[in-house]
Amino acid sequence: MDHGAKQPGDGTGNLVGTIVDEVAFDVERGKIAEFARATGAHDAVHTDRREAERRHLPDVAATATHVVVAGHHRSAQSMLETLGLDLPRVMVGGTSWDYVRPLVAGDSLTGRRVVTGDVTKTSSSGSPLRILTLETEYRDRDGQVAVRQQETILERGRR
């Protein structure tokens, strides 16, 4: 999963290809139940193993945003330093997930977050706006991609 990634500080001024961080975590039945409650996901596939098996899954299915649990295993401060971001000027631009297959209790995932876009534009107010795009591929024990997550981070420039 190298993607030709580079380390920060390579002198190019553009961070595309930089590895932001790597993370590993297990998809746990209890955490799935917490996410289901928190997101109002009432489908029994998230809480009842028999229902999951009826739908040809080996265990209860994770909810659609489950990989955000990776945030508990990452350092936000380290990410800010790697990307050269000033927190008071940072906004979340968006997050999307592309599931290659359902996540289920018992999965073990590893993910590498890599910068895939780093551009600066002029905002409608005339100040610079940096737009960073990050992609994480979460891979299972077999090294197969299970989920791709894309994040957009915006940093407002100084006027």
Side-chain angles (χ1 to χ4, degrees):
M1 184 162 103
D2 187 276
H3 300 293
K6 58 188 175 183
Q7 295 303 314
D10 71 350
T12 64
N14 184 320
L15 295 179
V16 170
T18 299
I19 299 170
V20 177
D21 55 26
E22 297 183 67
V23 64
F25 62 95
D26 294 326
V27 179
E28 301 169 354
R29 189 176 292 116
K31 189 58 73 178
I32 291 171
E34 288 175 19
F35 270 87
R37 278 191 304 277
T39 61
H42 301 293
D43 189 330
V45 74
H46 303 298
T47 56
D48 182 342
R49 187 172 183 164
R50 284 188 300 223
E51 177 61 20
E53 288 171 348
R54 189 181 73 71
R55 297 190 199 182
H56 308 287
L57 297 171
D59 208 326
V60 294
T63 59
T65 59
H66 192 84
V67 294
V68 299
V69 76
H72 297 285
H73 303 277
R74 290 176 157 156
S75 166
Q77 184 61 42
S78 177
M79 179 195 76
L80 292 170
E81 291 170 5
T82 297
L83 298 175
L85 296 171
D86 180 24
L87 184 58
R89 297 184 301 143
V90 172
M91 301 176 290
V92 173
T95 303
S96 64
W97 297 271
D98 177 26
Y99 279 78
V100 176
R101 68 163 179 82
L103 296 182
V104 297
D107 278 332
S108 287
L109 300 176
T110 57
R112 178 183 285 176
R113 186 161 43 172
V114 176
V115 178
T116 58
D118 183 1
V119 298
T120 301
K121 297 183 177 185
T122 302
S123 72
S124 59
S125 68
S127 61
L129 179 67
R130 184 175 179 201
I131 305 168
L132 285 159
T133 307
L134 312 176
E135 183 174 295
T136 305
E137 285 189 338
Y138 292 98
R139 294 179 180 264
D140 60 22
R141 286 182 187 96
D142 297 327
Q144 299 301 307
V145 175
V147 182
R148 284 184 189 87
Q149 179 180 1
Q150 188 174 56
E151 304 166 85
T152 304
I153 298 173
L154 308 174
E155 182 184 41
R156 297 181 311 257
R158 294 183 180 95
R159 290 182 186 215

